[in-house]
Amino acid sequence: MRNAPSLAELQRDFAASVLHGDASIEAAVAGNGLAAAQRMQIYRHIIENTFSEALQTSYPAVRLLVGDDFFDLAALRYLRDYPATSGNLQDYGAHFAAFLAAMPEASSLAYLPDIARLEWARQCSLLAADAEPLSADAVTQRLHTLQQSEAAIALRLHPSLQIIASDYPLFDIWRYCMEPDETPPPALDRGGQPLLIWRDAAQIAMQPVSAATTLLLRALLDGQSIQTALTTAADADFDLTELLPWLVANRLVIDITAHKTAQ
Amino acid sequence: MLTANDTRTIPAHAGIGLRAPHIEQVIAELPPVEWFELHSENFFAAGGDALRQLEAVRAHYPISLHGVGLSLGSAESDYRKHLTQLKTLVDRVQPGLVSEHLSWGAAGSIHLNGLLPLPYTEEALAVMIEHVDATQSLLQRQILIENASTYLEYRHSTMPEWEFIRELAQRTGCGVLLDVNNIYVNSVNHQFDPMQFITAIDPATVGEMHLAGFTRKTGLAAPLLIDSHDHPVYPEVWALYRQTVAHIGVKPTLIEWDARIPPFAVLQGEAATAEEVLDAQRAVAG
């Protein structure tokens, strides 16, 4: 028998046993009536269940699309390929979209990775910081003042706002998964459906928008002024006078100030 | 915003582990419950509805924060980010108690998110002491450390579990969260007399007790109980709890139920049973 492992060696061997079935740890485990491998199997089972349930919680639409058996298989492989790097389970699953995109058995569902990106964006939105939105009156007043001074204008959006672009009608697919009785089957050939995702009180809200809107909002989130962002998103039929009141009404505008040019 | 003066002490009565399915009901109905315990990590968020719920519960009840992910027993893991998040939460809600586990969960950067067994060695004790000291120092308060259920023992352990946790409390000043169900589970899994564990613990260091239901695995060559938190407290564990209270004294006691969670009234019934045990001890102790 080898010498007793150091604590660090023991913990590395334990992880290698759970994730990859490595037997190194077994020499250090007292069987006491069971095989050491059986005792490790108890822990492997508990840990796999914990992570599978965490993925089920974050990815309900992916699970509905692929079925429970396929999802369980994907969850086990994902754990081996992308083991958790945080003691907070809410952080687990950030790479599931990339994992699914590379999973050969999932290649027939081309939109699956994008649905996973949508669901992770919902999770991020759920945990994002709070921020007090500006009222419509405050927005009008500030815009008036800033426009008089002809300053470049910075518009800050709610921290929970996420933007998802895809070649597929993600919103229709997601709704069909989650609310099948109230939603027609999605027309997969209808093309992309850019989406805004944000937190509205206790709920996660989603809204399909035009591609030009996502370009403008991305530019704003990147810190560009409204004037520059409008140039970026240049689109013949783009109308800020419609988008801004919509953002304000949905409590997504948290600050409007003079734009400070980046250093 | 709460101030430090708003900390509400956890009373020496029965409380209930509050989980997501019951939070809105508790906020709406404000049932008569002495105190609640919640899992710290569920509120590791920059904002959002979970924190609003926690603060709503906190406005009406003493609360305890119970962590499952700090991984205090890991030899090589950077737990400072997790600890910083815990500090942010503790500063925000000023809980009456903060607790974690005598276990490890991460090997280097790989987290297994379990309450995994430590070898009871001087080396592991030194690691736990260093991390408990650092945690108490950053939080600027005492924490409680809970004995975990385990399904294996290591050949190179040099002391029993009760000696390990007693030493940890003596050398760090941390309190002990005595999980009576876990002691029972380990006494079956590793074949010892549970009272040997309980009588080894200094009653003055015990800040809280836990009760929960286990699952009995059948068809194995050795008896095995799993700490599943999905059943009522078993009669064997109630019996051990009575003996524990007689020895340790009246302490805040929590009913935990984390899977297949029943209606809230079932948890209130379990808490009432624990309260009867505490009442009986109060009567004896005069």
Side-chain angles (χ1 to χ4, degrees), chain A residues 107-130:
Chain A
S107 61
S108 59
L109 282 182
Y111 52 80
L112 192 65
D114 285 355
I115 290 290
R117 284 200 298 128
L118 179 159
E119 296 203 290
W120 189 250
R122 290 174 61 90
Q123 167 83 349
C124 294
S125 193
L126 203 60
L127 302 175
D130 295 315

Side-chain angles (χ1 to χ4, degrees), chain A residues 135-147 244 248 256:
Chain A
S135 69
D137 284 350
V139 170
T140 308
Q141 278 172 17
R142 291 200 193 182
L143 279 180
H144 182 70
T145 310
L146 289 165
Q147 278 164 343
L244 190 58
V248 173
I256 295 181

Side-chain angles (χ1 to χ4, degrees), chain B residues 34-57:
Chain B
E34 290 284 349
W35 59 284
F36 285 113
E37 186 164 282
L38 301 100
H39 283 166
S40 314
E41 285 80 7
N42 291 348
F43 305 95
F44 278 15
D49 199 51
L51 280 167
R52 176 198 64 77
Q53 290 179 321
L54 177 63
E55 288 182 340
V57 173

